[in-house]
Amino acid sequence: MLFFFNTRVPSPSVFPHDLTQHKGPLQITEEVFFFFSFFLHVVTHSAYVVPLIQAATQSDMALLSVLTPVLALVLCMVAGFLFLKSRAPQSNLKEGGQGKGPSKSGFRPWVDQDLQDDTILAEGGGDEDEWVENDEEKELAHVPYSPQRYPEEAMLQRSSDFYCLMNQRRSVRFISPEPVPREVINNVILTAGTAPSGAHTEPWTFVVVSDPETKHQIRLIVEEEEEVNYRQRMGDKWVHDLAPLRTNWIKEYLDVAPYLILIFKQAYGILPNGKKKTHYYNEISVSISCGILLAALQNVGLVTVTSTPLNCGPQLRLLLKRPANEKLLMLLPVGYPAADATVPDLKRKHLEDILVAI
């Protein structure tokens, strides 16, 4: 029986893949790798198996003595496998992975998995013929640019007036059902479309919903997911931080507001000829556009609350019949403030807290 322990066990270096250095979720420790390689070495060499069989025929006691090391190895392998299983989630969190379910540490539920901020390039996959080449697009002419220039006194006054206007902007969850002229909404959307974008790809789509039935379907989808968010996904800390704002998963304003504006980012463009066009920094571009949209709404006296419906994107995209290249970024209920509207008495940071002059 001692021939088991006098056997030279092959080192991990003889294997084609260095599994002990693997940094993935199933990181294999050297101890477990030792037991695994020893087991393979033993069972694959007939010189060891045959003595085992011969010894087993002598007596039951001899059989038990011979099989004891093998059983020990099997138990070690099982223990090693369970050890790996228990360490896999920790490895995922250390490397920034989110895993499939919520976790108390390392999980970032506010990052919607449907919103991957990765620029999709032609080299990233698919048929190269599906993507448009740069030289296929028309050459862009350049024209003179001479914007209006104001005297310093006018500049100061305009900057102060605009700050006072925007400093009145608040997130309002109590919205009046009073109708708003559609032309005003159209102008607000046009203003948002003046935002800069990567390579001037303008990767945004603004879906304006005023149909009561569609608004109600949107509310049902959002409230169903939001209840799960508040009860499970968000975690106690996030729910606790929202408590002073008195928010919950009930979104009555989705039915009441005369308009819902859903802003979609286009992960890539689709040209009339069916080819795909790369949209660089699409999420940052659309986010800038959303900021301008908020300013435009404030300028005309309308209110909204910035809503990022977590995990609702795919359902809302299908409901609104948007193509697969579009991902929901933000949902804004838009209208006049209700007569009894209230907002939290929040204070904004002072200039010295947000400005660094060098």
Side-chain angles (χ1 to χ4, degrees):
M1 188 170 65
L2 293 178
F3 67 83
F4 268 126
F5 302 100
N6 292 331
T7 302
R8 180 180 180 274
V9 178
S11 65
S13 60
V14 303
F15 288 81
H17 301 288
D18 191 0
L19 298 179
T20 61
Q21 301 301 320
H22 180 59
K23 301 300 182 182
L26 294 179
Q27 183 178 4
I28 299 179
T29 62
E30 292 184 359
E31 294 82 359
V32 176
F33 192 94
F34 173 83
F35 288 123
F36 182 68
S37 59
F38 178 79
F39 180 79
L40 289 179
H41 187 68
V42 169
V43 301
T44 55
H45 288 71
S46 60
Y48 304 143
V49 176
V50 172
L52 276 176
I53 298 175
Q54 294 175 349
T57 59
Q58 295 178 2
S59 67
D60 292 340
M61 186 61 67
L63 176 62
L64 180 62
S65 300
V66 172
L67 292 181
T68 297
V70 177
L71 294 175
L73 287 176
V74 173
L75 290 176
C76 289
M77 290 181 62
V78 173
F81 176 77
L82 296 177
F83 178 72
L84 290 177
K85 293 271 289 185
S86 65
R87 290 194 56 177
Q90 298 178 5
S91 301
N92 283 337
L93 291 179
K94 289 180 181 179
E95 297 182 15
Q98 296 183 11
K100 294 184 178 180
S103 174
K104 292 298 183 182
S105 62
F107 180 58
R108 301 184 299 162
W110 53 90
V111 178
D112 196 326
Q113 295 182 5
D114 188 48
L115 284 175
Q116 299 299 328
D117 192 17
D118 298 327
T119 298
I120 301 179
L121 301 175
E123 304 85 63
D127 191 349
E128 294 183 359
D129 294 337
E130 296 180 358
W131 293 83
V132 65
E133 298 292 341
N134 292 333
D135 54 10
E136 294 183 35
E137 302 188 60
K138 297 179 180 179
E139 184 177 352
L140 187 63
H142 285 222
V143 296
Y145 177 65
S146 300
Q148 182 178 358
R149 182 168 179 173
Y150 302 97
E152 290 187 4
E153 296 80 5
M155 292 173 60
L156 180 59
Q157 186 62 48
R158 288 172 64 89
S159 64
S160 177
D161 292 344
F162 188 70
Y163 165 68
C164 290
L165 173 67
M166 294 307 301
N167 195 36
Q168 298 173 30
R169 189 209 60 78
R170 299 301 301 271
S171 294
V172 179
R173 294 172 173 82
F174 304 96
I175 300 178
S176 170
E178 182 182 353
V180 175
R182 181 57 184 263
E183 293 78 10
V184 173
I185 300 300
N186 292 343
N187 288 333
V188 166
I189 299 297
L190 284 173
T191 304
T194 66
S197 59
H200 192 60
T201 53
E202 301 177 296
W204 41 67
T205 300
F206 301 91
V207 179
V208 179
V209 179
S210 57
D211 174 62
E213 179 58 30
T214 305
K215 289 193 300 180
H216 186 65
Q217 292 183 47
I218 292 174
R219 178 182 177 181
L220 294 179
I221 292 173
V222 171
E223 288 186 344
E224 180 181 5
E225 289 295 334
E226 280 288 84
E227 183 175 4
V228 178
N229 294 334
Y230 272 83
R231 294 185 182 276
Q232 300 179 18
R233 298 187 184 115
M234 292 166 56
D236 296 337
K237 184 179 185 305
W238 191 358
V239 174
H240 179 269
D241 290 343
L242 289 175
L245 304 179
R246 303 177 186 176
T247 66
N248 53 43
W249 60 83
I250 305 300
K251 312 294 183 183
E252 184 179 356
Y253 51 75
L254 295 178
D255 270 328
V256 176
Y259 294 104
L260 302 181
I261 302 179
L262 294 91
I263 302 98
F264 288 81
K265 73 163 192 174
Q266 301 170 7
Y268 56 88
I270 301 178
L271 300 179
N273 60 5
K275 289 193 174 184
K276 299 176 182 179
K277 180 178 180 180
T278 303
H279 281 177
Y280 305 96
Y281 298 104
N282 48 74
E283 186 165 325
I284 295 176
S285 300
V286 180
S287 298
I288 296 173
S289 180
C290 290
I292 296 178
L293 176 60
L294 295 176
L297 291 172
Q298 180 69 15
N299 182 57
V300 297
L302 298 177
V303 298
T304 186
V305 54
T306 53
S307 171
T308 52
L310 182 64
N311 292 317
C312 297
Q315 297 181 69
L316 294 178
R317 180 178 64 81
L318 293 176
L319 173 66
L320 300 173
K321 297 180 173 58
R322 302 312 307 157
N325 66 316
E326 295 186 1
K327 309 296 181 182
L328 180 64
L329 186 67
M330 191 173 296
L331 190 161
L332 303 178
V334 174
Y336 299 108
D340 57 349
T342 61
V343 295
D345 187 17
L346 302 177
K347 305 300 180 183
R348 292 189 167 98
K349 293 182 178 180
H350 297 288
L351 180 64
E352 58 267 22
D353 297 323
I354 63 175
L355 171 66
V356 176
I358 300 176

